[in-house]
Amino acid sequence: MLFALVAVALVLAWSVAMLVRRDRRRSPGSPEARRIEARATRGLREARRQARARRHFDDIGGVSALRDRD
């Protein structure tokens, strides 16, 4: 049991180290690349907001409340 726990911890530590190293190697990019990334992030936030609003308005009739009671 202890061996399995140590193995899992080593795999997780190795994965985190690889991700950190890869992120440090990544260049900051040009100003245009940063603008594109910011715009894409903003688009994702807007899509999440619309999905949440749609779920809220679809749930106004209380259909899910009836469905969840069963």
Side-chain angles (χ1 to χ4, degrees), residues 2 8 13 15 17 27 31-32 41 43 48-49 53 55 60:
L2 184 61
V8 169
S15 303
S27 64
E32 183 179 357
T41 304
R48 280 191 209 122
R49 187 188 66 74
R55 276 194 311 260
I60 285 178

Side-chain angles (χ1 to χ4, degrees), residues 29-51:
S30 67
E32 183 179 357
R34 285 192 296 258
R35 264 196 311 274
I36 290 170
E37 190 171 346
R39 191 171 294 156
T41 304
R42 196 175 322 124
L44 284 173
R45 270 191 246 128
E46 180 66 20
R48 280 191 209 122
R49 187 188 66 74
Q50 286 179 355

Side-chain angles (χ1 to χ4, degrees), residues 15-31:
S15 303
V16 169
M18 290 297 292
L19 288 173
V20 168
R21 191 177 322 147
R22 191 175 294 165
D23 191 48
R24 284 184 184 168
R25 241 186 302 172
R26 193 172 153 203
S27 64
S30 67

